[in-house]
Amino acid sequence: MAGTKGTRLAQSLWSMKPKLSRWILLAALAAGLIWSGLLAYIHLTGSASVLDRFETVFLDLKIAAAGERSPPSDVVIVAIDDQTVNGVGQFPLPRNRLAALIDAIEAAGAKAIAIDLLLPTTSDDSHDLDLGAALKNFPSVIAAVGSLEEALPLENSVPVVETVMVPAAAVSRFSKTGLANIVTDTGGTPRHIPHLFLTPEGLKPSFSLQAFSLFQGEPHSFAANGVRIGEQLRATDLGWHMPLNYYGPGGTIPTFSAANLMEQGSDPEISLEDKLVVLGVTATAVGDRFSTPFDPVMPGVEIQATGLANLLDHSALIRGPETRSLDGLVAVCITLLGLLAIAYFSLAQASFIYFVLMAVWLLFTAVAFTHGHWLNGALPLAASLPPVAALIFVRQISDRRWARQQQIAQQELARFHAPRLAERIAGDPTFLLHPREQTVAVLFIDLSGYTGLSEQLGPAATRDFLKEFHTVVVNVASANNGVVLDFMGDGAMLGFGIPDPASSDPLNACRCTFQLVEQVHDWLALQSSMSERCRLRVGGHIGQAVLSRLGHEQQQQITATGDCVNVASRLLEVAKHHGALVALSSDLIAAAENISPNSLTVPRRETEGIRGRRQSLSVGLWKSHEVLLSSKRL
């Protein structure tokens, strides 16, 4: 069922039209898959990479958000601190004094001791014998240190040790040993404790594993996915590395000064009953120091104690092959989903989707961390961000190119409408989806003598002639707030009050009428013999008209229809019948005179029957020499 839904989702996406070429999308998906898959593979194998540095930032943020927590009560630290060194007067402590300290720890009831001190050479033989005697009947582990082939051993394999610095034989024969090497990140923070090392003498366990096994009284063994202590399995990362889970700053694990035990043998205020004691150095400028998420200078002994505490309370971070596989799978999925979002949605929507995907994953890793799981936040980000950013860049280029093409197309389409109508449609795509009735003034113009002229000029010259003629018409109409609704060969239909009516529409129509006659005739005069053959006639009327979109659903034009339009068209016949150039209805003349400071001089008025109309109409007529006088009065 899930497979069927996934198939349907893929088919649905494929049926959607992407906003990028499908070949670009396929190339982006392939590149994203290769890139994210490569990073996922590196993560799965545990190979060191620059991503580890970024991941530690996310890890430290999660550690800080989770806050401090209580360590198990079974682990305590006995510290050779400044007070101890000052009391003894030297460092390292003489081994007879160290023996006395161990005796005091045993007397305080400790169950076992893990000595995080290097005791590689013999000192005074009697002192070594004293130390050996102190350890003879006390379960103990002494730290050894290996010289590793790599300064930072990879997490994907067992660290290889070239040489091992072991405790002196007089001491080590009464104690177990374990390698105390830890793995730090590039910032110097200990992140893992390897539990297994390959030495020239064979495989050797870690210091913390030996101490834990000794404390539990159970032998340890190594399983494919962790370390087994008796019947209990402790999961580890690749190469049997245990990720550390810190409890807090230095001192969070109970710490006691060795001076108090050395001076009194067994301080009654110090309770070590059945404890695992970690003995190490915290004195200033002595011993190793490490930066941790909680403390910039935590003593190395507390790092070892943290590892032991993690083993005791099962709180070591869970990070193994399964966890890494989930990290890799999420990295690939976020990458591919981010790329698909960019291809199918707007950039704003795609960016939001990508942000949500990353935010959900980072939130999930934070919640998982509270349950001890170390999921990677840097890997999905590094895997997805480069291909997603690259495709956003490609998409922006594509969108800009598409926008330019659309702008050019809109400019070209705008040529098929009057500029005022084109601007209105661009700003309001729903303009005139529903017809509306309003008052408009309509002019029809016609160029008499055009038929014979076109026959004389031929097709090419006729086209050039009409182009110049139409230019004059558009310029005059625009200058008087009119729009050319339609060109009809040697004629045109002009509207005033379109798209929105104004009180000055009748006056603008009349002014346009007389200016058209003048300017067209002036233009014709420049065309040599054409001025003798052609004359411009104009018919005009005002009234109610219906503005609407006419035509097919996929091919429309905006026009005006109604009695007003029909009358204006018929007035061209009236003008021709009376040998006039202009025929304007008395309605249009009266409407213009109502808003003009001057009245029109109407040379001649006639009451005419309009073809196809029952009611007669009073019409004002102008001949060529009379047009100039009326034009000047307006």
Side-chain angles (χ1 to χ4, degrees):
M1 190 69 174
T4 302
K5 290 182 178 180
T7 302
R8 289 176 180 173
L9 177 60
Q11 291 174 345
S12 176
L13 279 174
W14 186 255
S15 64
M16 291 174 62
K17 185 177 180 180
K19 301 182 186 301
L20 287 167
S21 162
R22 279 201 168 95
W23 292 111
I24 294 178
L25 174 57
L26 290 175
L29 291 174
L33 183 61
I34 292 172
W35 171 252
S36 59
L38 176 62
L39 294 185
Y41 174 77
I42 293 173
H43 180 63
L44 284 171
T45 58
S47 301
S49 71
V50 69
L51 288 183
D52 297 334
R53 186 174 185 86
F54 293 102
E55 173 54 23
T56 56
V57 174
F58 285 105
L59 179 60
D60 287 345
L61 289 174
K62 288 181 279 191
I63 291 173
E68 300 179 25
R69 56 197 184 91
S70 300
S73 60
D74 295 323
V75 178
V76 298
I77 297 172
V78 173
I80 300 175
D81 53 10
D82 290 333
Q83 180 184 351
T84 305
V85 174
N86 291 335
V88 174
Q90 69 177 84
F91 185 85
L93 272 62
R95 293 186 185 180
N96 61 335
R97 299 298 298 273
L98 190 58
L101 174 59
I102 292 172
D103 287 336
I105 293 172
E106 182 180 9
K111 184 177 180 180
I113 185 171
I115 303 173
D116 187 24
L117 298 172
L118 296 180
L119 305 170
T121 58
T122 57
S123 57
D124 186 282
D125 290 341
S126 62
H127 291 178
D128 284 345
L129 290 175
D130 291 340
L131 182 56
L135 296 172
K136 185 174 182 180
N137 297 314
F138 188 23
S140 60
V141 176
I142 302 176
V145 176
S147 175
L148 304 177
E149 287 188 352
E150 297 287 343
L152 292 173
L154 302 182
E155 299 170 18
N156 64 344
S157 62
V158 175
V160 178
V161 177
E162 294 180 337
T163 59
V164 180
M165 185 182 296
V166 297
V171 178
S172 62
R173 63 182 179 145
F174 298 111
S175 177
K176 293 183 179 294
T177 61
L179 285 132
N181 297 74
I182 56 179
V183 176
T184 62
D185 60 23
T186 54
T189 299
R191 297 294 180 182
H192 294 81
I193 290 182
H195 279 322
L196 190 62
F197 297 84
L198 179 59
T199 71
E201 290 77 30
L203 293 171
K204 299 293 182 181
S206 68
F207 172 73
S208 57
L209 181 60
Q210 280 282 52
F212 178 69
S213 179
L214 185 67
F215 180 73
Q216 294 289 94
E218 298 280 357
H220 62 263
S221 61
F222 293 93
N225 55 347
V227 177
R228 192 176 299 280
I229 309 294
E231 298 299 322
Q232 298 182 357
L233 181 67
R234 299 292 191 275
T236 59
D237 200 351
L238 303 176
W240 293 281
H241 288 60
M242 182 183 73
L244 289 169
N245 192 359
Y246 289 96
Y247 297 94
T252 301
I253 295 176
T255 302
F256 304 102
S257 174
N260 295 334
L261 288 167
M262 292 175 67
E263 292 172 2
Q264 303 178 21
S266 176
D267 189 338
E269 295 183 1
I270 300 177
S271 176
L272 302 180
E273 190 69 31
D274 293 329
K275 306 293 185 183
L276 172 57
V277 175
V278 184
L279 176 61
V281 180
T282 63
T284 305
V286 177
D288 46 4
R289 295 287 190 278
F290 297 93
S291 172
T292 72
F294 291 106
D295 196 330
V297 284
M298 181 177 282
V301 63
E302 192 151 1
I303 304 296
Q304 296 293 345
T306 298
L308 281 166
N310 286 174
L311 286 169
L312 281 166
D313 65 3
H314 297 258
S315 68
L317 295 177
I318 301 171
R319 191 193 199 197
E322 297 82 4
T323 304
R324 289 175 179 268
S325 296
L326 178 59
D327 292 337
L329 178 62
V330 169
V332 172
C333 289
I334 289 180
T335 301
L336 298 181
L337 290 174
L339 295 174
L340 287 173
I342 294 168
Y344 284 93
F345 298 95
S346 70
L347 285 179
Q349 292 171 327
S351 299
F352 178 75
I353 291 171
Y354 175 69
F355 172 80
V356 169
L357 289 173
M358 280 304 311
V360 168
W361 173 246
L362 291 176
L363 179 62
F364 181 74
T365 63
V367 173
F369 182 81
T370 62
H371 294 81
H373 294 269
W374 180 1
L375 294 173
N376 199 295
L379 176 63
L381 184 62
S384 60
L385 188 57
V388 165
L391 191 59
I392 287 176
F393 179 72
V394 172
R395 171 71 184 277
Q396 286 179 328
I397 293 176
S398 176
D399 285 355
R400 288 174 183 174
R401 181 179 299 171
W402 180 84
R404 286 196 298 269
Q405 292 174 345
Q406 288 295 107
Q407 183 179 13
I408 293 172
Q410 289 177 357
Q411 291 173 349
E412 292 301 315
L413 286 173
R415 298 177 188 274
F416 292 90
H417 291 284
R420 294 176 65 187
L421 288 178
E423 291 176 6
R424 183 62 178 272
I425 295 170
D428 181 12
T430 63
F431 177 60
L432 291 184
L433 282 179
H434 302 288
R436 74 185 191 193
E437 186 175 352
Q438 67 184 55
T439 300
V440 297
V442 179
L443 300 181
F444 274 85
I445 64 174
D446 176 65
L447 200 60
S448 65
Y450 167 76
T451 303
L453 178 64
S454 62
E455 180 181 10
Q456 176 186 344
L457 293 177
T462 299
R463 188 193 74 84
D464 294 338
F465 173 81
L466 286 178
K467 184 176 180 180
E468 292 185 27
F469 168 62
H470 292 157
T471 299
V472 175
V473 172
V474 170
N475 289 341
V476 174
S478 298
N480 290 280
N481 295 320
V483 295
V484 178
L485 294 174
D486 195 11
F487 286 109
M488 299 165 287
D490 61 332
M493 174 182 174
L494 283 64
F496 297 82
I498 300 172
D500 300 303
S503 60
S504 59
D505 292 336
L507 185 59
N508 289 334
C510 291
R511 283 174 175 165
C512 184
T513 297
F514 299 123
Q515 290 177 18
L516 277 173
V517 173
E518 283 188 279
Q519 294 192 28
V520 168
H521 286 178
D522 289 344
W523 168 71
L524 288 171
L526 300 176
Q527 312 300 314
S528 64
S529 60
M530 295 181 186
S531 61
E532 301 298 328
R533 298 188 179 193
C534 298
R535 285 288 184 272
L536 183 70
R537 288 196 182 94
V538 182
H541 185 47
I542 190 170
Q544 293 294 109
V546 177
L547 299 184
S548 62
R549 298 186 179 192
L550 294 182
H552 185 265
E553 183 67 25
Q554 301 300 323
Q555 183 178 348
Q556 300 175 343
Q557 70 178 38
I558 292 176
T559 189
T561 57
D563 179 66
C564 172
V565 178
N566 294 332
V567 169
S569 176
R570 297 288 186 262
L571 287 178
L572 286 176
E573 298 176 4
V574 173
K576 183 178 180 180
H577 175 72
H578 290 283
L581 298 182
V582 175
L584 301 179
S585 69
S586 294
D587 294 338
L588 178 58
I589 294 170
E593 289 180 333
N594 285 337
I595 57 176
S596 173
N598 302 311
S599 61
L600 284 173
T601 300
V602 182
R604 179 181 176 185
R605 289 183 185 268
E606 297 287 345
T607 300
E608 292 289 330
I610 305 300
R611 182 166 56 89
R613 195 171 187 263
R614 294 181 181 179
Q615 187 176 0
S616 298
L617 183 68
S618 177
V619 179
L621 300 169
W622 284 260
K623 294 187 177 181
S624 59
H625 64 281
E626 300 164 339
V627 170
L628 181 60
L629 178 61
S630 295
S631 177
K632 288 181 177 180
R633 292 186 63 84
L634 291 178

